[in-house]
mmCIF file of all heavy atoms in Angstrom:
data_model
loop_
_atom_site.group_PDB
_atom_site.id
_atom_site.type_symbol
_atom_site.label_atom_id
_atom_site.label_comp_id
_atom_site.label_asym_id
_atom_site.label_seq_id
_atom_site.Cartn_x
_atom_site.Cartn_y
_atom_site.Cartn_z
ATOM 1 N N ASP C 116 -158.906 5.314 -56.509
ATOM 2 C CA ASP C 116 -157.726 4.664 -56.798
ATOM 3 C C ASP C 116 -157.895 3.050 -56.641
ATOM 4 O O ASP C 116 -157.093 2.315 -57.198
ATOM 5 C CB ASP C 116 -156.535 5.099 -55.957
ATOM 6 C CG ASP C 116 -156.184 6.475 -56.450
ATOM 7 O OD1 ASP C 116 -156.882 7.206 -57.253
ATOM 8 O OD2 ASP C 116 -155.147 6.889 -55.932
ATOM 9 N N CYS C 117 -158.703 2.584 -55.864
ATOM 10 C CA CYS C 117 -158.931 1.170 -55.570
ATOM 11 C C CYS C 117 -159.883 0.441 -56.520
ATOM 12 O O CYS C 117 -160.038 -0.750 -56.460
ATOM 13 C CB CYS C 117 -159.106 0.850 -54.190
ATOM 14 S SG CYS C 117 -160.872 1.412 -53.663
ATOM 15 N N PHE C 118 -160.722 1.337 -57.251
ATOM 16 C CA PHE C 118 -161.725 0.718 -58.117
ATOM 17 C C PHE C 118 -161.330 -0.398 -59.018
ATOM 18 O O PHE C 118 -161.877 -1.470 -59.114
ATOM 19 C CB PHE C 118 -162.493 1.782 -58.892
ATOM 20 C CG PHE C 118 -163.351 2.696 -58.132
ATOM 21 C CD1 PHE C 118 -163.887 3.941 -58.752
ATOM 22 C CD2 PHE C 118 -163.713 2.354 -56.810
ATOM 23 C CE1 PHE C 118 -164.614 4.747 -57.946
ATOM 24 C CE2 PHE C 118 -164.529 3.271 -56.105
ATOM 25 C CZ PHE C 118 -164.990 4.402 -56.655
ATOM 26 N N ALA C 119 -160.169 -0.110 -59.632
ATOM 27 C CA ALA C 119 -159.626 -1.245 -60.632
ATOM 28 C C ALA C 119 -159.335 -2.492 -59.943
ATOM 29 O O ALA C 119 -159.624 -3.494 -60.501
ATOM 30 C CB ALA C 119 -158.452 -0.611 -61.296
ATOM 31 N N ALA C 120 -158.745 -2.414 -58.734
ATOM 32 C CA ALA C 120 -158.390 -3.618 -58.007
ATOM 33 C C ALA C 120 -159.675 -4.380 -57.612
ATOM 34 O O ALA C 120 -159.785 -5.602 -57.714
ATOM 35 C CB ALA C 120 -157.637 -3.310 -56.747
ATOM 36 N N ILE C 121 -160.721 -3.654 -57.075
ATOM 37 C CA ILE C 121 -161.971 -4.256 -56.698
ATOM 38 C C ILE C 121 -162.660 -4.985 -57.838
ATOM 39 O O ILE C 121 -162.996 -6.124 -57.875
ATOM 40 C CB ILE C 121 -162.821 -3.306 -55.957
ATOM 41 C CG1 ILE C 121 -162.294 -2.945 -54.636
ATOM 42 C CG2 ILE C 121 -164.262 -3.787 -55.908
ATOM 43 C CD1 ILE C 121 -163.088 -1.953 -53.770
ATOM 44 N N ASP C 122 -162.616 -4.227 -58.909
ATOM 45 C CA ASP C 122 -163.301 -4.740 -60.131
ATOM 46 C C ASP C 122 -162.506 -6.143 -60.634
ATOM 47 O O ASP C 122 -163.176 -7.015 -60.967
ATOM 48 C CB ASP C 122 -163.080 -3.781 -61.423
ATOM 49 C CG ASP C 122 -164.165 -2.718 -61.304
ATOM 50 O OD1 ASP C 122 -165.086 -2.806 -60.446
ATOM 51 O OD2 ASP C 122 -163.900 -1.710 -62.009
ATOM 52 N N PHE C 123 -161.197 -6.086 -60.520
ATOM 53 C CA PHE C 123 -160.511 -7.254 -60.986
ATOM 54 C C PHE C 123 -160.745 -8.478 -60.042
ATOM 55 O O PHE C 123 -160.974 -9.519 -60.541
ATOM 56 C CB PHE C 123 -158.960 -6.915 -60.845
ATOM 57 C CG PHE C 123 -158.062 -8.014 -61.374
ATOM 58 C CD1 PHE C 123 -157.645 -7.972 -62.653
ATOM 59 C CD2 PHE C 123 -157.645 -8.971 -60.464
ATOM 60 C CE1 PHE C 123 -156.813 -9.085 -63.085
ATOM 61 C CE2 PHE C 123 -156.738 -10.070 -60.962
ATOM 62 C CZ PHE C 123 -156.275 -9.983 -62.215
ATOM 63 N N PHE C 124 -160.814 -8.276 -58.739
ATOM 64 C CA PHE C 124 -161.099 -9.345 -57.955
ATOM 65 C C PHE C 124 -162.464 -9.823 -57.923
ATOM 66 O O PHE C 124 -162.752 -10.998 -57.814
ATOM 67 C CB PHE C 124 -160.641 -9.050 -56.314
ATOM 68 C CG PHE C 124 -159.256 -8.736 -56.250
ATOM 69 C CD1 PHE C 124 -158.862 -7.586 -55.573
ATOM 70 C CD2 PHE C 124 -158.320 -9.527 -56.770
ATOM 71 C CE1 PHE C 124 -157.462 -7.332 -55.400
ATOM 72 C CE2 PHE C 124 -156.847 -9.185 -56.662
ATOM 73 C CZ PHE C 124 -156.500 -8.162 -55.948
ATOM 74 N N GLU C 125 -163.470 -8.950 -58.149
ATOM 75 C CA GLU C 125 -164.805 -9.322 -58.341
ATOM 76 C C GLU C 125 -164.968 -10.183 -59.628
ATOM 77 O O GLU C 125 -165.657 -11.181 -59.619
ATOM 78 C CB GLU C 125 -165.676 -8.091 -58.561
ATOM 79 C CG GLU C 125 -165.888 -7.130 -57.256
ATOM 80 C CD GLU C 125 -167.063 -7.472 -56.413
ATOM 81 O OE1 GLU C 125 -167.813 -8.459 -56.754
ATOM 82 O OE2 GLU C 125 -167.246 -6.819 -55.431
ATOM 83 N N HIS C 126 -164.229 -9.730 -60.644
ATOM 84 C CA HIS C 126 -164.311 -10.511 -61.901
ATOM 85 C C HIS C 126 -163.748 -11.798 -61.773
ATOM 86 O O HIS C 126 -164.238 -12.820 -62.382
ATOM 87 C CB HIS C 126 -163.548 -9.686 -62.925
ATOM 88 C CG HIS C 126 -163.692 -10.084 -64.333
ATOM 89 N ND1 HIS C 126 -164.926 -10.069 -65.025
ATOM 90 C CD2 HIS C 126 -162.828 -10.807 -65.237
ATOM 91 C CE1 HIS C 126 -164.793 -10.651 -66.176
ATOM 92 N NE2 HIS C 126 -163.460 -11.066 -66.233
ATOM 93 N N ARG C 127 -162.582 -11.938 -60.996
ATOM 94 C CA ARG C 127 -162.040 -13.330 -60.834
ATOM 95 C C ARG C 127 -162.610 -14.103 -59.722
ATOM 96 O O ARG C 127 -162.165 -15.132 -59.387
ATOM 97 C CB ARG C 127 -160.504 -13.110 -60.376
ATOM 98 C CG ARG C 127 -159.642 -12.457 -61.416
ATOM 99 C CD ARG C 127 -159.664 -13.200 -62.703
ATOM 100 N NE ARG C 127 -159.539 -12.240 -63.832
ATOM 101 C CZ ARG C 127 -158.537 -11.882 -64.565
ATOM 102 N NH1 ARG C 127 -157.486 -12.658 -64.386
ATOM 103 N NH2 ARG C 127 -158.663 -11.157 -65.575
ATOM 104 N N ARG C 128 -163.646 -13.572 -59.021
ATOM 105 C CA ARG C 128 -164.297 -14.204 -57.821
ATOM 106 C C ARG C 128 -163.265 -14.593 -56.813
ATOM 107 O O ARG C 128 -163.440 -15.616 -56.226
ATOM 108 C CB ARG C 128 -165.091 -15.427 -58.392
ATOM 109 C CG ARG C 128 -166.183 -14.998 -59.364
ATOM 110 C CD ARG C 128 -166.865 -16.273 -59.891
ATOM 111 N NE ARG C 128 -167.536 -17.127 -58.813
ATOM 112 C CZ ARG C 128 -168.785 -16.742 -58.545
ATOM 113 N NH1 ARG C 128 -169.380 -15.729 -58.966
ATOM 114 N NH2 ARG C 128 -169.435 -17.448 -57.474
ATOM 115 N N LEU C 129 -162.228 -13.756 -56.729
ATOM 116 C CA LEU C 129 -161.372 -13.935 -55.630
ATOM 117 C C LEU C 129 -161.844 -13.148 -54.334
ATOM 118 O O LEU C 129 -162.095 -11.886 -54.374
ATOM 119 C CB LEU C 129 -159.952 -13.406 -55.927
ATOM 120 C CG LEU C 129 -158.880 -13.719 -55.026
ATOM 121 C CD1 LEU C 129 -158.462 -15.216 -55.006
ATOM 122 C CD2 LEU C 129 -157.550 -12.948 -55.247
ATOM 123 N N PRO C 130 -161.979 -13.836 -53.120
ATOM 124 C CA PRO C 130 -162.424 -13.085 -52.028
ATOM 125 C C PRO C 130 -161.424 -12.023 -51.623
ATOM 126 O O PRO C 130 -160.270 -12.208 -51.677
ATOM 127 C CB PRO C 130 -162.455 -14.199 -50.861
ATOM 128 C CG PRO C 130 -162.409 -15.500 -51.607
ATOM 129 C CD PRO C 130 -161.700 -15.311 -52.955
ATOM 130 N N TYR C 131 -162.002 -10.858 -51.279
ATOM 131 C CA TYR C 131 -161.165 -9.787 -50.834
ATOM 132 C C TYR C 131 -161.648 -9.012 -49.647
ATOM 133 O O TYR C 131 -162.916 -9.114 -49.459
ATOM 134 C CB TYR C 131 -160.832 -8.855 -52.006
ATOM 135 C CG TYR C 131 -162.094 -8.112 -52.345
ATOM 136 C CD1 TYR C 131 -162.380 -6.765 -51.959
ATOM 137 C CD2 TYR C 131 -162.862 -8.740 -53.370
ATOM 138 C CE1 TYR C 131 -163.583 -6.201 -52.290
ATOM 139 C CE2 TYR C 131 -164.009 -8.060 -53.792
ATOM 140 C CZ TYR C 131 -164.431 -6.742 -53.307
ATOM 141 O OH TYR C 131 -165.554 -6.177 -53.709
ATOM 142 N N LEU C 132 -160.905 -8.350 -48.914
ATOM 143 C CA LEU C 132 -161.525 -7.368 -47.962
ATOM 144 C C LEU C 132 -160.898 -6.041 -48.207
ATOM 145 O O LEU C 132 -159.897 -5.981 -48.889
ATOM 146 C CB LEU C 132 -161.222 -7.768 -46.531
ATOM 147 C CG LEU C 132 -159.880 -7.953 -45.894
ATOM 148 C CD1 LEU C 132 -159.192 -6.630 -45.870
ATOM 149 C CD2 LEU C 132 -160.048 -8.562 -44.488
ATOM 150 N N VAL C 133 -161.590 -4.975 -47.727
ATOM 151 C CA VAL C 133 -161.081 -3.659 -47.943
ATOM 152 C C VAL C 133 -160.563 -3.158 -46.545
ATOM 153 O O VAL C 133 -161.066 -3.281 -45.565
ATOM 154 C CB VAL C 133 -162.337 -2.717 -48.290
ATOM 155 C CG1 VAL C 133 -161.920 -1.212 -48.309
ATOM 156 C CG2 VAL C 133 -162.920 -3.138 -49.671
ATOM 157 N N ALA C 134 -159.185 -2.733 -46.666
ATOM 158 C CA ALA C 134 -158.521 -2.243 -45.488
ATOM 159 C C ALA C 134 -158.327 -0.713 -45.704
ATOM 160 O O ALA C 134 -157.680 -0.338 -46.654
ATOM 161 C CB ALA C 134 -157.173 -2.799 -45.319
ATOM 162 N N ILE C 135 -158.930 0.054 -44.736
ATOM 163 C CA ILE C 135 -158.908 1.505 -44.908
ATOM 164 C C ILE C 135 -157.461 1.924 -44.161
ATOM 165 O O ILE C 135 -157.358 1.771 -43.004
ATOM 166 C CB ILE C 135 -160.028 2.141 -44.094
ATOM 167 C CG1 ILE C 135 -161.336 1.665 -44.739
ATOM 168 C CG2 ILE C 135 -159.929 3.719 -44.276
ATOM 169 C CD1 ILE C 135 -162.560 2.099 -43.958
ATOM 170 N N ASN C 136 -156.556 2.454 -44.900
ATOM 171 C CA ASN C 136 -155.269 2.735 -44.309
ATOM 172 C C ASN C 136 -155.411 4.147 -43.762
ATOM 173 O O ASN C 136 -155.849 5.195 -44.365
ATOM 174 C CB ASN C 136 -154.198 2.810 -45.365
ATOM 175 C CG ASN C 136 -152.797 2.775 -44.667
ATOM 176 O OD1 ASN C 136 -152.626 2.559 -43.485
ATOM 177 N ND2 ASN C 136 -151.706 3.026 -45.513
ATOM 178 N N CYS C 137 -155.328 4.154 -42.413
ATOM 179 C CA CYS C 137 -155.527 5.441 -41.692
ATOM 180 C C CYS C 137 -154.302 6.207 -41.570
ATOM 181 O O CYS C 137 -153.385 6.203 -40.702
ATOM 182 C CB CYS C 137 -156.118 5.100 -40.328
ATOM 183 S SG CYS C 137 -157.555 4.111 -40.297
ATOM 184 N N PHE C 138 -154.058 7.029 -42.540
ATOM 185 C CA PHE C 138 -152.869 7.918 -42.595
ATOM 186 C C PHE C 138 -153.014 8.839 -41.404
ATOM 187 O O PHE C 138 -153.952 9.426 -41.057
ATOM 188 C CB PHE C 138 -152.799 8.582 -43.942
ATOM 189 C CG PHE C 138 -152.372 7.849 -45.043
ATOM 190 C CD1 PHE C 138 -153.299 7.023 -45.698
ATOM 191 C CD2 PHE C 138 -150.921 7.758 -45.322
ATOM 192 C CE1 PHE C 138 -152.751 6.194 -46.838
ATOM 193 C CE2 PHE C 138 -150.549 6.875 -46.345
ATOM 194 C CZ PHE C 138 -151.454 6.050 -47.074
ATOM 195 N N ASP C 139 -151.864 9.048 -40.753
ATOM 196 C CA ASP C 139 -151.763 9.919 -39.603
ATOM 197 C C ASP C 139 -152.778 9.559 -38.545
ATOM 198 O O ASP C 139 -153.184 10.449 -37.735
ATOM 199 C CB ASP C 139 -151.970 11.387 -40.054
ATOM 200 C CG ASP C 139 -151.134 11.787 -41.178
ATOM 201 O OD1 ASP C 139 -149.845 11.399 -41.148
ATOM 202 O OD2 ASP C 139 -151.586 12.343 -42.156
ATOM 203 N N GLY C 140 -153.079 8.212 -38.446
ATOM 204 C CA GLY C 140 -153.926 7.820 -37.324
ATOM 205 C C GLY C 140 -155.328 8.231 -37.479
ATOM 206 O O GLY C 140 -156.211 8.126 -36.592
ATOM 207 N N VAL C 141 -155.702 8.939 -38.606
ATOM 208 C CA VAL C 141 -157.039 9.395 -38.722
ATOM 209 C C VAL C 141 -157.920 8.570 -39.726
ATOM 210 O O VAL C 141 -157.403 8.390 -40.885
ATOM 211 C CB VAL C 141 -157.052 10.963 -39.177
ATOM 212 C CG1 VAL C 141 -158.484 11.464 -39.278
ATOM 213 C CG2 VAL C 141 -156.169 11.737 -38.249
ATOM 214 N N GLN C 142 -159.086 8.165 -39.341
ATOM 215 C CA GLN C 142 -159.949 7.464 -40.246
ATOM 216 C C GLN C 142 -161.059 8.476 -40.555
ATOM 217 O O GLN C 142 -161.799 8.824 -39.917
ATOM 218 C CB GLN C 142 -160.616 6.327 -39.589
ATOM 219 C CG GLN C 142 -161.445 5.386 -40.685
ATOM 220 C CD GLN C 142 -161.961 4.185 -39.987
ATOM 221 O OE1 GLN C 142 -161.449 3.725 -39.035
ATOM 222 N NE2 GLN C 142 -163.046 3.662 -40.575
ATOM 223 N N TYR C 143 -160.850 9.033 -41.855
ATOM 224 C CA TYR C 143 -161.740 10.135 -42.305
ATOM 225 C C TYR C 143 -163.142 9.711 -42.467
ATOM 226 O O TYR C 143 -164.035 10.554 -42.339
ATOM 227 C CB TYR C 143 -161.042 10.923 -43.500
ATOM 228 C CG TYR C 143 -159.743 11.503 -43.154
ATOM 229 C CD1 TYR C 143 -158.598 10.953 -43.524
ATOM 230 C CD2 TYR C 143 -159.743 12.833 -42.586
ATOM 231 C CE1 TYR C 143 -157.329 11.528 -43.190
ATOM 232 C CE2 TYR C 143 -158.506 13.385 -42.318
ATOM 233 C CZ TYR C 143 -157.347 12.822 -42.654
ATOM 234 O OH TYR C 143 -156.161 13.360 -42.290
ATOM 235 N N HIS C 144 -163.362 8.523 -42.896
ATOM 236 C CA HIS C 144 -164.676 8.066 -43.140
ATOM 237 C C HIS C 144 -164.818 6.754 -42.518
ATOM 238 O O HIS C 144 -163.941 5.883 -42.526
ATOM 239 C CB HIS C 144 -164.843 7.819 -44.684
ATOM 240 C CG HIS C 144 -164.726 9.220 -45.449
ATOM 241 N ND1 HIS C 144 -165.617 10.141 -45.469
ATOM 242 C CD2 HIS C 144 -163.614 9.676 -46.139
ATOM 243 C CE1 HIS C 144 -165.129 11.147 -46.193
ATOM 244 N NE2 HIS C 144 -163.966 10.905 -46.536
ATOM 245 N N ASN C 145 -166.106 6.432 -41.979
ATOM 246 C CA ASN C 145 -166.332 5.202 -41.275
ATOM 247 C C ASN C 145 -166.505 4.036 -42.236
ATOM 248 O O ASN C 145 -166.724 4.280 -43.575
ATOM 249 C CB ASN C 145 -167.403 5.206 -40.221
ATOM 250 C CG ASN C 145 -168.732 5.467 -40.875
ATOM 251 O OD1 ASN C 145 -169.000 4.877 -41.947
ATOM 252 N ND2 ASN C 145 -169.542 6.137 -40.219
#
Side-chain angles (χ1 to χ4, degrees):
D116 289 9
C117 72
F118 287 165
I121 287 180
D122 285 347
F123 185 89
F124 298 132
E125 295 265 359
H126 189 68
R127 297 301 144 103
R128 300 174 63 86
L129 185 71
Y131 65 90
L132 66 64
V133 173
I135 305 171
N136 198 13
C137 303
F138 284 86
D139 308 316
V141 181
Q142 187 177 338
Y143 294 97
H144 301 279
N145 69 37

